Amino acid sequence: MELANSKSNSRGKSIRNFLGEYYTWIMFIVLYIVAGIIVPNLFTSTTMVTILVQGTTVCLLAFGMTFAMLVGEIDMSIVAVAAFSPMISIMLWEAGLPVPLAMILVLLFGVVVGIFNGLMVTKMKIPSLIQTVAVWWMLSGFVLIVTKGAAKTGLPDAWMFMGRFNVIGRIPLLIPFFVLVLILAIIFARRTVTGRRMYLVGGNADACAAMGIPVDRIKIIAFVMSGVFAALAGYVLSARMGFVSARFAVEWLMPAIAAPVIAGVSMNGGKGNLINVIAGAYLVQLIVMIVRTGGVGGYYTDFVQGVIVFIAILINTFRERLSQ
Amino acid sequence: MSNENPMLEVKNLSKSFGTIKALDNVSFTLPRGKVFGIVGDNNAGRTTLLSILNGALQPDSGEFYLDGQKADFKNPSDAYDSGVAMVHQFVKLVDIASIWENFYLGRELTRKSGPITLLDLKKMRETTQKTISGYGHKFDVDREVRQLSGGQRQIVAVTRAIDTNPKLLLLDEPYHGLSQRVINDIFAILKDARESRGTSIIITTQWFEQIKDFVDEVMVMRRGRIVGHFDVEAADSGHIFKLAMGLAG
Ligand SMILES: Nc1ncnc2c1ncn2[C@@H]1O[C@H](COP(=O)(O)OP(=O)(O)OP(=O)(O)O)[C@@H](O)[C@H]1O
Ligand SMILES: [Mg+2]
């Protein structure tokens, strides 16, 4: 009986559910249009492509962060991984390693750091905030030692191919690659046993363990995902910019935390829609861009960005409260 | 598997937490298809015993045999693989996940899609709906578990355990804080499992009266020991109460 009743108004309800679910996209689109009035160039295809391309870094970092958050943890080491992985790989290339191997090595570093973080958090019971801040510090410190602070330019062409070769118009090869990676990540999270178990473990690890789910392993895999996405973010950034440096990507840590939170990913674990994280990442990217080009002077930029991100988080938090 | 083996044979199980002896040299044999009740006051050691049988805890000493095989469970997953399911005293469900996801927690259904294995969401949803409504409960299985009442949560936990088709089903006070109507529902589900599948069951309680009509034999536990073991026909409520409370001479 209940079922029959719900069917008659199910269409109105499902549209409302849809809008509620993808609220972050609405925020992004609304902000884009409003900002377009202030920043005139925003609707040109050039600017749109620029935002699309520049946003890949924060989006990949945010995806990585989301996997850690889904299992109720956090990964602060992502920006260090994003600098360390391409930097060490490039140095090994300079020492004679073939480019393809160097590129594979980038991802491998992400995997290894992820396993290390995951093992320390699950087996040694170190809080992930402490563990990953320590790793962040160690990795970026290590990069400083080996580079003495100097940036690396003159990356091999094959390395930069993704960032420099345009498939259509001004859209570089990295965009289709990026889209493919996002789609695979979304399928992984929603449709595979391991991916869904991340949500369940984040929801109630104890209940999962009682039903035989290997909770530690699921958490370790989540850290591997965040490590790999961080490494990818670093690679993509270097392929686009044509250099790597010790402080590479570091300004993207706060956006990478803010993006999932704006998108409704719960920091307690168990909740979060990756499709919304894309919107969250581009929303943050847009805010950064507006503030930079909108004439907010040098010393004010960080503050204004922080305030806008904070407001976005507030809006989404209130919306979630109301919908419950 | 030979049918002469008892379903479960427990030999001299002991388990301590610091100086507390939660289980003290416990032995008993559960014949195939039988239902045992365990009556005990708080801290009797019932949850500890069932947790060992379910692989969540490991004994300090002693052993147990399942269907004639020595069990060496390192975790609940091992127990599940050997056909042991448990319903916990404090129901273990993921609040923010749907009913069907909880129903298939840890034993998700999948389908092959080319080279990759994906979750079979549709089948899990439908089967959960069918199974639970088969027991006379109308649930919208897409609802999150946190929206359910205590009784509904317990129904989900019990039907889930039975759905794994266990050889041995462990129920730790499965009617804790529930209304009589829900308790009756749960016993109806359990009786059905017992009659149609011959499931062997251990069920714990504080009050013998609660399980009297359901069990074949009753054991009384107190401070980690078995202090009484009766056929249900020969059991006297008053005497069992005194044993459980430590009042019997
Ligand atoms: N993980 C643990 N750590 C320390 N002590 C424990 C632990 N689990 C159980 N105990 C102790 O072991 C004893 C037996 O506990 P158990 O939970 O098995 O009893 P019970 O019969 O299930 O009682 P109830 O469910 O009414 O609390 C108690 O004294 C309890 O405090
Ligand atoms: Mg108990």
Side-chain angles (χ1 to χ4, degrees):
Chain A
M1 286 230 291
E2 274 169 325
L3 287 178
N5 276 341
S6 70
K7 236 170 209 156
S8 58
N9 61 6
S10 70
R11 169 148 311 170
K13 214 179 193 174
S14 69
I15 290 175
R16 208 157 0 112
N17 282 347
F18 183 84
L19 293 181
E21 176 71 35
Y22 295 104
Y23 187 83
T24 318
W25 279 101
I26 299 171
M27 285 215 300
F28 170 68
I29 292 164
V30 168
L31 182 71
Y32 202 103
I33 293 167
V34 171
I37 300 165
I38 310 163
V39 189
N41 283 338
L42 223 48
F43 297 119
T44 66
S45 68
T46 317
T47 314
M48 283 181 172
V49 171
T50 306
I51 291 176
L52 179 66
V53 171
Q54 287 184 349
T56 53
T57 307
V58 66
C59 191
L60 290 168
L61 288 172
F63 261 51
M65 185 62 90
T66 302
F67 281 110
M69 285 180 177
L70 284 183
V71 295
E73 307 290 350
I74 194 163
D75 189 351
M76 303 292 280
S77 70
I78 50 173
V79 287
V81 172
F84 175 91
S85 303
M87 178 62 90
I88 305 301
S89 301
I90 281 298
M91 293 181 83
L92 290 171
W93 165 74
E94 287 176 336
L97 194 72
V99 179
L101 286 186
M103 285 164 71
I104 291 169
L105 203 59
V106 176
L107 294 183
L108 222 53
F109 281 133
V111 172
V112 171
V113 174
I115 291 175
F116 178 60
N117 281 335
L119 282 176
M120 296 309 272
V121 168
T122 56
K123 307 297 181 196
M124 307 291 285
K125 313 273 179 246
I126 301 177
S128 55
L129 180 68
I130 308 294
Q131 163 66 23
T132 57
V133 165
V135 167
W136 168 17
W137 229 351
M138 288 192 289
L139 289 184
S140 53
F142 184 80
V143 172
L144 276 179
I145 295 173
V146 295
T147 60
K148 304 201 168 55
K152 289 261 170 244
T153 51
L155 308 186
D157 285 342
W159 181 285
M160 295 190 298
F161 187 68
M162 260 206 209
R164 298 286 156 93
F165 175 77
N166 289 346
V167 276
I168 359 159
R170 297 182 62 255
I171 296 181
L173 179 62
L174 73 84
I175 290 299
F177 169 75
F178 167 74
V179 171
L180 181 71
V181 167
L182 298 194
I183 290 172
L184 289 178
I186 291 166
I187 292 174
F188 170 75
R190 303 184 140 198
R191 288 293 152 87
T192 68
V193 173
T194 305
R196 268 314 294 178
R197 282 182 173 183
M198 287 181 186
Y199 288 85
L200 297 163
V201 165
N204 185 346
D206 190 34
C208 289
M211 294 309 286
I213 290 177
V215 168
D216 286 357
R217 198 194 310 160
I218 299 292
K219 284 199 172 190
I220 293 168
I221 295 171
F223 276 107
V224 168
M225 292 300 284
S226 74
V228 167
F229 270 86
L232 269 179
Y235 166 72
V236 163
L237 188 60
S238 68
R240 200 156 63 69
M241 310 287 275
F243 74 94
V244 261
S245 73
R247 297 194 50 76
F248 210 49
V250 80
E251 79 262 32
W252 291 109
L253 179 64
M254 288 308 146
I257 297 173
V261 174
I262 288 174
V265 177
S266 164
M267 297 200 52
N268 299 320
K271 270 191 179 168
N273 184 336
L274 283 172
I275 295 175
N276 287 335
V277 174
I278 304 172
Y282 276 95
L283 188 67
V284 174
Q285 175 70 36
L286 184 64
I287 291 170
V288 169
M289 166 142 183
I290 295 167
V291 172
R292 275 187 195 157
T293 60
V296 177
Y299 294 124
Y300 287 87
T301 44
D302 275 8
F303 178 72
V304 175
Q305 284 168 14
V307 169
I308 298 175
V309 166
F310 181 66
I311 292 169
I313 290 172
L314 272 190
I315 292 174
N316 223 2
T317 308
F318 277 117
R319 187 196 57 81
E320 240 166 59
R321 286 268 166 74
L322 288 177
S323 73
Q324 290 197 350
Chain B
M1 301 281 142
S2 85
N3 271 356
E4 297 107 66
N5 290 323
M7 190 69 251
L8 175 69
E9 199 175 352
V10 173
K11 286 186 180 167
N12 311 105
L13 280 187
S14 293
K15 176 84 185 174
S16 298
F17 296 104
T19 56
I20 300 169
K21 277 200 162 175
L23 278 190
D24 189 1
N25 209 23
V26 166
S27 302
F28 65 91
T29 301
L30 172 68
R32 188 175 299 274
K34 292 287 178 196
V35 179
F36 271 23
I38 300 179
V39 181
D41 194 19
N42 290 119
N43 303 334
R46 294 160 299 166
T47 300
T48 306
L49 174 61
L50 296 200
S51 301
I52 289 174
L53 299 178
N54 183 46
L57 288 176
Q58 284 67 44
D60 297 337
S61 62
E63 57 219 31
F64 60 101
Y65 297 81
L66 208 78
D67 214 352
Q69 301 260 10
K70 187 170 190 292
D72 182 22
F73 299 156
K74 296 194 172 52
N75 49 51
S77 186
D78 290 346
Y80 174 77
D81 292 340
S82 300
V84 180
M86 177 158 171
V87 176
H88 295 81
Q89 184 171 3
F90 302 101
V91 169
K92 301 206 169 183
L93 298 173
V94 181
D95 273 0
I96 57 170
S98 65
I99 293 176
W100 63 265
E101 275 190 288
N102 275 283
F103 196 79
Y104 281 105
L105 194 64
R107 55 189 188 105
E108 297 87 344
L109 302 180
T110 56
R111 62 185 164 81
K112 279 255 172 237
S113 176
I116 46 174
T117 307
L118 296 179
L119 289 166
D120 196 339
L121 306 179
K122 190 161 166 274
K123 191 161 172 203
M124 285 193 275
R125 222 178 247 130
E126 287 173 0
T127 317
T128 306
Q129 188 85 60
K130 218 165 66 201
T131 309
I132 295 184
S133 59
Y135 291 112
H137 289 271
K138 282 262 166 288
F139 285 165
D140 171 4
V141 295
D142 278 319
R143 278 171 73 188
E144 284 182 12
V145 162
R146 70 189 160 92
Q147 301 169 333
L148 302 183
S149 71
Q152 290 172 319
R153 294 165 62 91
Q154 193 61 267
I155 299 275
V156 173
V158 172
T159 51
R160 169 176 80 176
I162 289 174
D163 197 63
T164 66
N165 206 0
K167 293 193 281 193
L168 174 62
L169 177 59
L170 310 170
L171 300 141
D172 198 7
E173 300 194 50
Y175 26 66
H176 200 86
L178 301 184
S179 73
Q180 193 56 46
R181 204 182 69 89
V182 177
I183 293 174
N184 292 343
D185 280 355
I186 287 171
F187 275 119
I189 294 170
L190 293 176
K191 277 188 179 130
D192 176 68
R194 182 189 179 181
E195 275 153 29
S196 63
R197 312 181 192 209
T199 313
S200 308
I201 299 175
I202 299 178
I203 184 166
T204 74
T205 186
Q206 290 206 23
W207 311 110
F208 176 52
E209 297 294 332
Q210 225 162 10
I211 56 167
K212 200 161 126 188
D213 299 331
F214 180 58
V215 300
D216 301 308
E217 294 180 32
V218 56
M219 297 189 295
V220 187
M221 280 186 82
R222 175 157 181 82
R223 301 215 173 124
R225 291 169 184 246
I226 295 183
V227 294
H229 190 156
F230 311 93
D231 272 338
V232 74
E233 287 82 11
D236 172 70
S237 309
H239 184 50
I240 286 177
F241 178 78
K242 282 185 187 159
L243 280 174
M245 293 299 179
L247 302 172

